[in-house]
Amino acid sequence: MQVSTRALVFSSVKYAEADLIVSCFTEDYGLKSYLLRGIMKSKKGKLRASLFQPLTQLHLEAIHKDKGTLERIKEAKVLVPYTTLHTQVVKSSVVLFLAEMLKNSIQEEEANGDLFEYISVSLQWLDAHEAIANFHILFLLKLTAYLGIYPDTSGMEYPYFNLLEGNFEKEPLGDYSESGDAVDTLKRFFGINFDDLEGTKTTKKQRFEALNLLLSYYQLHLQGYKKPKSLLVLNQLFN
């Protein structure tokens, strides 16, 4: 079946001598993997390896057999040209980290237009702004809503955050109740938008602890979650 859809590149891995296996989150068909034969050597074809950088937004013409095997891309073109995401060191590191997190978090082969739109618009915001030190924290917190694991904020005034239950508590209940500066910092990201980030000041230590708290939350609530390899580089850059 020939399909036409918007897509976000999650990863591309070299296969054999000149092939790529590309993982994309498509707007209309969810997560799909494609085998691009000979693309690393091709200079005249319609497909170029440079199109498949992390979180590039593409329009695809593809062949889907929907048999659990690798699909085929006939044509791809950049839908949203970035000006900074793949050229600025800090932003490209954020993009690598988020691409890895998204690939770990989204496994469904089904359409989710709201999630696709959220990722697309967020990346355009990141591309256009410079006050981005806290972007990845807010992005991941907001992402939990689309993954169905957004924390219950009805007890936000309480000092303890129960990672397992996903709510705030007056007293610690169980082994997964956390309190302290990391929880206080994470609370500052609830109910704000990306445009509010410029006024959200955090120290290196606060960012580090809040992010680790959020990643622990992901680990508890997402089956098959893997700690992102790019986290170390990201922390080094922001520190």
Side-chain angles (χ1 to χ4, degrees), residues 102-216:
L102 287 165
K103 189 178 181 185
N104 282 342
S105 304
I106 300 170
Q107 306 294 334
E108 298 81 7
E109 285 197 27
E110 58 184 38
N112 189 332
D114 290 340
L115 173 56
F116 187 96
E117 192 66 21
Y118 166 68
I119 300 170
S120 172
V121 171
S122 300
L123 291 170
Q124 292 175 63
W125 188 97
L126 178 63
D127 188 48
H129 292 80
E130 298 305 318
I132 63 158
N134 291 312
F135 175 87
H136 54 300
I137 298 175
L138 183 57
F139 178 89
L140 291 179
L141 180 60
K142 286 181 171 292
L143 180 63
T144 61
Y146 297 91
L147 300 176
I149 59 171
Y150 192 75
D152 177 0
T153 59
S154 59
M156 278 272 286
E157 71 275 14
Y158 298 142
Y160 292 90
F161 179 44
N162 190 314
L163 294 172
L164 186 61
E165 298 299 330
N167 59 13
F168 293 90
E169 303 169 334
K170 189 181 297 185
E171 303 290 341
L173 298 175
D175 297 331
Y176 296 97
S177 288
E178 300 285 342
S179 64
D181 203 25
V183 173
D184 292 338
T185 300
L186 187 61
K187 283 182 178 181
R188 296 169 61 189
F189 291 92
F190 285 89
I192 69 170
N193 295 312
F194 292 114
D195 286 338
D196 300 317
L197 285 177
E198 191 168 0
T200 306
K201 305 300 181 184
T202 57
T203 66
K204 301 170 188 176
K205 182 173 181 289
Q206 287 173 330
R207 273 197 302 274
F208 178 81
E209 291 179 347
L211 177 59
N212 281 336
L213 186 70
L214 195 50
L215 295 183
S216 295

Side-chain angles (χ1 to χ4, degrees), residues 19-106:
D19 303 342
L20 276 182
I21 294 177
V22 177
S23 174
C24 291
F25 180 56
T26 67
E27 181 178 24
D28 299 318
Y29 305 95
L31 197 63
K32 288 289 182 181
S33 293
Y34 300 93
L35 177 61
L36 308 180
R37 293 193 179 278
I39 192 172
M40 303 300 286
K41 288 185 175 180
S42 175
K43 294 183 179 179
K44 296 181 180 180
K46 294 180 180 179
L47 299 177
R48 304 183 310 278
S50 59
L51 286 169
F52 300 97
Q53 296 183 72
L55 298 187
T56 299
Q57 301 191 42
L58 300 173
H59 182 271
L60 299 182
E61 298 288 338
I63 303 296
H64 287 179
K65 294 184 177 180
D66 295 324
K67 294 182 178 179
T69 56
L70 295 171
E71 313 288 15
R72 183 164 64 91
I73 295 175
K74 292 183 65 178
E75 294 183 30
K77 62 180 181 181
V78 174
L79 200 58
V80 180
Y82 298 138
T83 57
T84 62
L85 292 195
H86 293 141
T87 55
Q88 292 185 11
V89 173
V90 172
K91 286 189 178 182
S92 62
S93 297
V94 172
V95 164
L96 282 173
F97 171 71
L98 294 181
E100 198 174 353
M101 284 295 299
L102 287 165
K103 189 178 181 185
N104 282 342
S105 304
I106 300 170

